[in-house]
Structures are given as structure tokens and as C-alpha cells.
Amino acid sequence: MSGNVNRDQGVATAAGFRAAGVVAGIKSNGKPDLTLVVNDGPSTAAAGVFTRNKVKAAPVLWSSQVLTTGSLRAVVLNSGGANACTGPEGFQDTHATAEKVADVLGVGAIDVAVCSTGLIGERLPMDAVLAGVDLATKELGTGAEAGLAAATGVMTTDTVAKQTALTHQDGWTVGGFAKGAGMCAPNMATMLSVITSDAVLDATVVDASLRAAVDATFNRLDVDGGTSTNDTVLLLVSGASGVEVTPAAFTEALTTVCADLVAQLQADAEGVTKHVTITVRGAATDAEAVATARTVAVDNLCKTAFFASDPNWGRIAMAVGNAPTQFDAAKLDITLNGVTVCRAGGRGEDRTGADLSGRDILVEIDLHAGEGTGTILTTDLSHAYVEENSAYSS
Amino acid sequence: MSGNVNRDQGVATAAGFRAAGVVAGIKSNGKPDLTLVVNDGPSTAAAGVFTRNKVKAAPVLWSSQVLTTGSLRAVVLNSGGANACTGPEGFQDTHATAEKVADVLGVGAIDVAVCSTGLIGERLPMDAVLAGVDLATKELGTGAEAGLAAATGVMTTDTVAKQTALTHQDGWTVGGFAKGAGMCAPNMATMLSVITSDAVLDATVVDASLRAAVDATFNRLDVDGGTSTNDTVLLLVSGASGVEVTPAAFTEALTTVCADLVAQLQADAEGVTKHVTITVRGAATDAEAVATARTVAVDNLCKTAFFASDPNWGRIAMAVGNAPTQFDAAKLDITLNGVTVCRAGGRGEDRTGADLSGRDILVEIDLHAGEGTGTILTTDLSHAYVEENSAYSS
């Protein structure tokens, strides 16, 4: 990699992009709640990846249609309401929001993606949304400050804004923001993320690069097993750097940016006290390795043991035994922070030697059933998780 | 049903059975930890259902072999250690325990099932186990007191012993005990249960009746999605009443007893403050209805909302959208304690009208995609759940 990520920069660092985040009055608490990202070109290539939940929010239905063109001029995002389970009226609200952005920018509604996040099942206050679009249009800017404002406008239970950018030594940039702290998984482990780049790319590369990067990053974070109705990752490419970039170099940079955003999501997950990495080796296939890691990641008995810094590997063995993969229980190895506490399906080194008291916990599982490997990032299940999710009001 | 359940009675009420529960010293806290149930016949017909976890405890491996004979003379159970992930030595410990019981009773080891519950990954203190068998043999008795002692000897995080019996007006009885509070699901939602009957039954009926009853009861409780390594339900039939019973009448009584044990398990689940019943209608098949109910039951965002008495139906819609079933999101109905808060995929009656402040929460979901129906019982995710499962020491 010829460049490092910089969390002071974000979605408005790549040439050709402007962004803003404003207080539109959608949230009742007066915090920023509307973000606008504009691509001034010359290219308008774009791609999107959306939730696999069968209950899709209105903005997901809209934006996935828009993205079939492979082109975007702008993205408008709001927090303070998911606009999910809002029926035909909710879809009309999304459409009206896109129309409003199209009007003020002088483009077509088909050029505008819409994202929403917040409570499911309530209509958005459209007066506030539409006035917010006017306000955001006036605030559009470039660079670090505009990127941070954009990242801030989409926050819900997030405690910090999450952005990053990578500027390659050859003079092109990939950067973006993400939001999400709960309802994260098992695919598209964020509610919303927008990433921009000024690389010059063949249009067909944009979609393939985004899918590859998302599969290796956002799809490997699992906070609580709940794939939301609104999950969206969008990539917009302006080509404004004038630098032609190979697909491999672009995908590498994009994956680095996505991985850094995922690390920030994991660090800010609801109630998190532990950053847990679960790596499975020796599965029949990579897919089975990932599925096994995910089964451990969502198991509440494992998650509460992580919270307790408790090297209770029996709970992990129990979860592995419930995973959709075949293996010989008499060959199972489990290593916690470097100590192989379970060897050949039974007790290995003394579990008290595995120190899980720090923030980071590495769980390594070897099934000895093949060559497949896979990793899932997750968090613990803490009192704070219960508190946040029982207090998050309806 | 020509008889009612009576929770003062249990596993030693049916004629032909003796039981005991003693302090063997397996647990360090001096509480009862070894239970023995003996069938004095004349019939020794028996059946068992075991965990589907691929990591099976030594007693599960042993007892499932024993049950291939369709016959049992005794069951010995211990708390204070699961004897899971203990390798060949752990299996030898199970075998030695069965041999010991066989010796003192004058039967064969192949006539003796073994069950264990407790921490995974540690060997049992066999001196204590074997001495406990001697002690329990001397304590064997019949009736309410013996049944309660037996139910008490298998408790782990259970706060109360769980037993029940049903005596039919025709003069035969089905009764038993169960233990389990966490690591309950998605199949065999208990760690251990032993049920006895003095009905006269055709041997082939015993296994079929047990499977039917378990599928309708134990397999429909899901506390935390974790199927344990030790789950076992055993049914022993003595025929000592001399009353011939039809398969239908027996299965009905057995199902009633199992359902009452499941209700007690749900009521004593770790950290429970809510008893939640999730019923799905209108699925393509009954199996998809059950799978959909289970997806809601294990979703932590739904479970924390139940804890908060929060009618946040959007989280339920999100979970339903992740279930392995096909439906039209625009037809989804969700009813909470009688108030249809989501109708045709959108907002229905005012959610604040749904009062979830009591102990019981009924969630009714209609997918409008077919005729399939199914119900899962579950609990909320509370601070106490996190506390118990992070404090439960390794």
C-alpha cells in the first residue's frame, strides 16, 4: 500500500466532491441530522451494496433502483428516522427528497441516492428534510471540515463520527464515512457508509471493487447479528485526479479505507468493552470458516464470557458445535490470546494462563477438517449494551 | 385430558420407580449434585432424545449408545461438571459411573444411562461421583419427597427445582423433572430431563411418543440460542400400573407433562423478567413459521426491547426480514399484546396502546404467505442475564 489512512480526512477529500452536514430539525434533540454529498465529476460512476433484509426501507428500494444506472451525482442522507415500514407514503417521501436535491443541484432525481437511519416505522418530518436540503446545499464544502460535518449528520447511537481517507503517493484519494453501532450484521455491518474517490477508473471496475471490499470488511463485522432494513454502502468516483488507477490498486486502497471504517464501527459498537477477533482455520471451505466464526460471534454465552474476561472455552466449543460445518470434535483446538486452552477436543494449557483482561481478545479455532479460513470481528455483550438497547426509546 | 399436572410430584410418583438426590461433593459449595433414578419394572422400556450439537459430552455419547437397546434400568445424573470436551478419559469416567451403578443395583452397565451438567472442559472428581452413587443407592425412595430430591440434585444456575406429574383417572402416571436455565436452544431446550411412567405400553410407542412430545415442547423454548453439549431427555416406562394405555392417550399426557416442565424452565431462565410467546401465522409451511418465530426469539434487539416493555415493532420487522422465509413485506402484520401496531408492512394502531409492562408478552406475526403456523417461547435479555453469565465462573 502506497499511502496511509488519515482519520482527519473523509468523504470530501477526493477531488471533485463537496459535502455538508447540517441540523435540519428531523431529530428532536437539535443534533445534526442531514448530510449531502455531491460529485462534481467529470465522472459520475457509482456503485452500491444494500441490505439483504427482506424488509427494505424506502430509501433502499429507491437507491438500489437508482444504482442500476451505475451513476450518481449526489447522495442525501438523514438520521432521526429510518423511513422503513412506512408504506407507499414513505417511498413518496424518499422520492420527494431526491427530487428536492435534484432541483437544487440542477440534475435529475435518478442521479440522487437517498439513505435514512433511525427508528423504524415512523414517517419522516418532510418539511424539516426539504428545508435541510436547502441548508446543506449552501453549506457544501471540501476537505477535512466538510467531511467531518457529513460524517456527523448521520450519527444515531454512535458516540463519535467515523471517517477516514487514504491519499495514494500517485496523487489520488479514497475516503469516506460510516455510521452504525447496533443492528450490525450478518451482512453489511453498518447502517450507512459513503465513500468517494477521484481515481480514474473503468466504470465496470467500480462495482466489482466495491463488492470485493465490502465482502472483506463490512461483511465481517458482527455486533449483534441483526441485519438492518437500511444498510447501504455507496461508492462515488469522480475521476477528478486525472490519475488512471489499476483495478487491483484501487481495490486495495478501497479495502484499506473500508477496513479502517469497520475498525471504528467495532470500537464504537453499543456497549462495547472488548474488541474480539475470531479466526477459524481448517474448515472445509472459507465460507464454512466464516460461518463458524459468525456462530461464535453471535452466541450470547460466548459474548458474556468475553465481557467477563473469562477464558471459558467450553462455551466456544459449544458454539462451534452448533455451527453449520462438519468436523471431528476430537480434533478441535481453541486458542485464546495465544494460549491453546483446548487441544484435540479436550483440555489443553491451563485456562487461567489466557489473559483476556485487556481490550483485545483473539480467538483462534482450528477445526482440522480442511484448508478453509475466515475471520469475523465482534464485540462483547455488556450491561451497557442492554442499557442502550432497552433505553433507546420507541 | 383426564388428569391435571401436580408440581408436588415428580419422577418417583409412577409405580415401579425409586429416586434419590444427594450431596456427593462434586460441587464445591456443598449443594446436592448427584441424582439416581431406578426402574424396578416389570417393563424396562425407555427412549432418549439427545443434543444435536456436534460437540457431544461423554455422557451423551454413552447414553445414546445405551438407548439403542430401547431399555434402561437406571439413570445416574450429576451436576457440578458437564464432562464435555474431556476426551477418552472423560468417556472412561462416564463408563466407570455406569459400571458403579450397575454393580450396586445388580444390573449391567448397558442398562444405565448417564447425564452430566455444569462447566465444560473439566474432568469430574470421580471419587466423589462413585461415593455419591453408594450414598444415593441407600437413599432411594418413592413419592413426592424422593422426586424433589432427584430434581434438586441436577440444578446448576436453576433457582428452583422443576418437577411435575400427571396421574390419569384410569390409574397410571407420567411424571418427571427438568433442569436448565441458560444455553437453552434451538433444540432440546433443556440440559437434562428424566420422565417416568407406569403405563403399560408397546415398546415401539415409547420412542415415538417421546419424540412427538419433545418436538412440541422442549424444542419450542429458546432462551439464548445456544444448544448445549449435554442436552438429554429420557423416558423410562415400568408398566407397573398394569393399565394398558393407547398411544394417543399416552402421548397426550406425556406432552402435557413436558409442556409443564418447559413452562417452569421458561419461568426460571437466566435473568428472565418477561415470558415471551412468539406466534407466526401465514408462513409457507409450519417449519418456516417456527424458523421465523425463532429468528425473532434470538434477536438481541428484540429481546432488549422486551426487557424495556418497549413496543418497538420495527425491531421485530427487522428480525422477520432476516428470517429464512419468503413473504411480501407490504403484507406484514405484527400484533403486540392484542394491538396490531404494524399492519400491511406499515404503521398500524398507535404503538403506545400496546401495554408490555406486565410479565407476559404475546407477539403475533402474520406473513400472509400461506397456511403455516408455529410458536416459540422465549425470554427477554436483561441486565441480570448479562450478570449471571459474566459472573458464572470458569
Side-chain angles (χ1 to χ4, degrees):
Chain A
M1 181 61 49
S2 300
N4 294 315
V5 292
N6 176 0
R7 292 184 180 177
D8 291 332
Q9 299 290 337
V11 78
T13 300
F17 291 96
R18 291 178 293 153
V22 300
V23 177
I26 303 165
K27 291 176 176 167
S28 57
N29 63 6
K31 291 190 176 174
D33 49 15
L34 190 134
T35 289
L36 185 60
V37 178
V38 176
N39 181 0
D40 292 317
S43 163
T44 58
V49 181
F50 301 94
T51 183
R52 295 181 194 172
N53 195 307
K54 287 179 279 284
V55 178
K56 296 181 201 303
V60 167
L61 296 171
W62 170 262
S63 299
S64 56
Q65 278 301 307
V66 164
L67 261 300
T68 59
T69 66
S71 171
L72 275 185
R73 293 293 300 269
V75 186
V76 59
L77 312 92
N78 74 274
S79 51
N83 197 7
C85 299
T86 45
E89 297 80 6
F91 190 80
Q92 287 165 15
D93 290 343
T94 290
H95 186 214
T97 306
E99 286 278 8
K100 173 70 181 179
V101 172
D103 283 351
V104 298
L105 296 180
V107 299
I110 192 68
D111 298 317
V112 181
V114 181
C115 301
S116 299
T117 177
L119 186 67
I120 294 170
E122 298 290 331
R123 296 277 300 279
L124 291 172
M126 285 305 293
D127 288 352
V129 171
L130 299 180
V133 171
D134 281 324
L135 184 58
T137 305
K138 290 174 193 144
E139 298 279 330
L140 285 167
T142 62
E145 195 176 338
L148 181 61
T152 304
V154 292
M155 289 166 62
T156 54
T157 57
D158 307 70
T159 65
V160 292
K162 299 163 186 78
Q163 64 168 358
T164 199
L166 183 157
T167 297
H168 195 276
Q169 63 183 22
D170 290 349
W172 54 278
T173 293
V174 182
F177 62 76
K179 69 78 52 183
M183 211 181 275
C184 277
N187 278 289
M188 298 291 304
T190 178
M191 292 187 77
L192 306 176
S193 179
V194 177
I195 299 161
T196 58
S197 179
D198 50 17
V200 176
L201 291 170
D202 186 275
T204 60
V205 171
V206 178
D207 188 74
S209 287
L210 180 63
R211 287 177 195 284
V214 166
D215 190 50
T217 56
F218 289 107
N219 283 355
R220 301 301 175 91
L221 173 66
D222 196 315
V223 170
D224 55 13
T227 301
S228 98
T229 52
N230 290 59
D231 292 340
T232 301
V233 178
L234 299 176
L235 171 64
L236 292 79
V237 177
S238 70
S241 70
V243 181
E244 288 192 24
V245 181
T246 67
F250 182 74
T251 301
E252 185 184 1
L254 179 63
T255 302
T256 300
V257 164
C258 290
D260 190 46
L261 292 171
V262 166
Q264 295 180 58
L265 291 167
Q266 182 186 29
D268 195 33
E270 287 170 350
V272 63
T273 76
K274 301 287 186 182
H275 299 184
V276 185
T277 301
I278 300 169
T279 293
V280 174
R281 299 191 182 89
T285 64
D286 288 353
E288 287 191 19
V290 170
T292 302
R294 204 182 287 284
T295 302
V296 176
V298 301
D299 185 89
N300 281 353
L301 288 161
C302 293
K303 290 173 99 74
T304 46
F306 298 144
F307 172 55
S309 305
D310 181 357
N312 191 339
W313 59 265
R315 294 185 182 182
I316 297 172
M318 177 275 296
V320 171
N322 288 324
T325 188
Q326 292 303 318
F327 67 101
D328 179 351
K331 294 182 178 173
L332 177 65
D333 293 338
I334 301 173
T335 302
L336 299 176
N337 279 0
V339 179
T340 303
V341 289
C342 173
R343 181 170 284 131
R347 188 161 130 171
E349 297 172 54
D350 188 345
R351 68 176 74 195
T352 60
D355 180 5
L356 309 187
S357 62
R359 191 196 65 173
D360 294 306
I361 296 178
L362 175 61
V363 179
E364 296 170 281
I365 297 160
D366 198 329
L367 301 175
H368 295 286
E371 300 297 318
T373 64
T375 293
I376 289 285
L377 305 178
T378 190
T379 57
D380 55 333
L381 175 56
S382 67
H383 284 297
Y385 180 90
V386 174
E387 186 62 29
E388 270 200 58
N389 283 297
S390 53
Y392 188 89
S393 99
S394 67
Chain B
M1 183 57 51
S2 301
N4 295 316
V5 291
N6 176 0
R7 292 183 181 178
D8 291 333
Q9 299 291 337
V11 77
T13 299
F17 291 96
R18 291 177 294 153
V22 299
V23 177
I26 305 165
K27 291 176 177 170
S28 58
N29 63 7
K31 292 190 176 173
D33 49 15
L34 190 133
T35 288
L36 185 60
V37 178
V38 177
N39 181 0
D40 292 319
S43 163
T44 59
V49 181
F50 300 94
T51 183
R52 296 181 193 172
N53 195 307
K54 286 178 279 284
V55 178
K56 297 182 201 305
V60 167
L61 295 171
W62 170 263
S63 299
S64 56
Q65 277 301 308
V66 165
L67 261 299
T68 59
T69 66
S71 171
L72 274 185
R73 294 293 299 269
V75 185
V76 59
L77 312 91
N78 76 274
S79 51
N83 198 6
C85 299
T86 44
E89 296 81 6
F91 188 81
Q92 286 165 14
D93 290 342
T94 290
H95 186 216
T97 306
E99 287 279 7
K100 173 71 180 177
V101 172
D103 283 350
V104 298
L105 296 180
V107 300
I110 192 69
D111 298 318
V112 181
V114 182
C115 302
S116 299
T117 176
L119 185 67
I120 295 170
E122 299 290 331
R123 297 276 300 279
L124 290 172
M126 286 304 294
D127 287 352
V129 170
L130 299 179
V133 170
D134 282 323
L135 185 59
T137 305
K138 290 175 193 143
E139 299 279 329
L140 284 168
T142 62
E145 195 175 337
L148 181 61
T152 304
V154 292
M155 290 167 61
T156 53
T157 57
D158 307 71
T159 65
V160 293
K162 300 164 185 77
Q163 64 167 357
T164 198
L166 183 156
T167 297
H168 194 276
Q169 64 182 20
D170 290 349
W172 53 279
T173 293
V174 182
F177 62 77
K179 67 79 51 184
M183 210 181 275
C184 278
N187 277 290
M188 298 291 306
T190 178
M191 292 187 76
L192 306 176
S193 179
V194 177
I195 300 162
T196 57
S197 178
D198 51 18
V200 176
L201 291 171
D202 187 275
T204 60
V205 171
V206 177
D207 189 74
S209 287
L210 181 63
R211 287 176 195 285
V214 166
D215 191 49
T217 56
F218 288 108
N219 283 354
R220 301 302 175 91
L221 173 65
D222 196 316
V223 170
D224 55 13
T227 302
S228 97
T229 51
N230 291 58
D231 293 340
T232 302
V233 179
L234 299 176
L235 170 65
L236 292 78
V237 177
S238 70
S241 70
V243 182
E244 288 192 25
V245 181
T246 66
F250 182 74
T251 301
E252 185 184 0
L254 180 62
T255 302
T256 300
V257 165
C258 290
D260 190 45
L261 291 172
V262 166
Q264 295 180 59
L265 290 168
Q266 182 186 29
D268 195 33
E270 288 171 349
V272 63
T273 77
K274 300 287 186 182
H275 299 184
V276 184
T277 301
I278 300 169
T279 293
V280 173
R281 299 191 183 89
T285 64
D286 287 352
E288 288 191 19
V290 170
T292 302
R294 204 181 286 283
T295 302
V296 176
V298 300
D299 185 89
N300 281 352
L301 288 162
C302 293
K303 289 175 101 74
T304 46
F306 298 144
F307 172 54
S309 305
D310 181 357
N312 190 341
W313 60 264
R315 294 184 181 181
I316 297 171
M318 178 276 295
V320 172
N322 287 325
T325 187
Q326 292 301 318
F327 67 101
D328 179 351
K331 292 182 178 173
L332 177 66
D333 294 337
I334 300 172
T335 301
L336 299 176
N337 280 358
V339 179
T340 303
V341 289
C342 173
R343 182 169 283 132
R347 190 162 130 171
E349 296 172 54
D350 188 345
R351 69 176 74 194
T352 62
D355 180 4
L356 309 188
S357 62
R359 192 196 63 172
D360 295 307
I361 296 178
L362 175 61
V363 179
E364 296 169 283
I365 296 161
D366 198 329
L367 300 176
H368 296 286
E371 300 297 319
T373 64
T375 293
I376 290 285
L377 305 178
T378 190
T379 57
D380 55 335
L381 175 55
S382 67
H383 284 298
Y385 179 91
V386 174
E387 187 62 27
E388 270 200 59
N389 283 297
S390 53
Y392 188 87
S393 99
S394 67

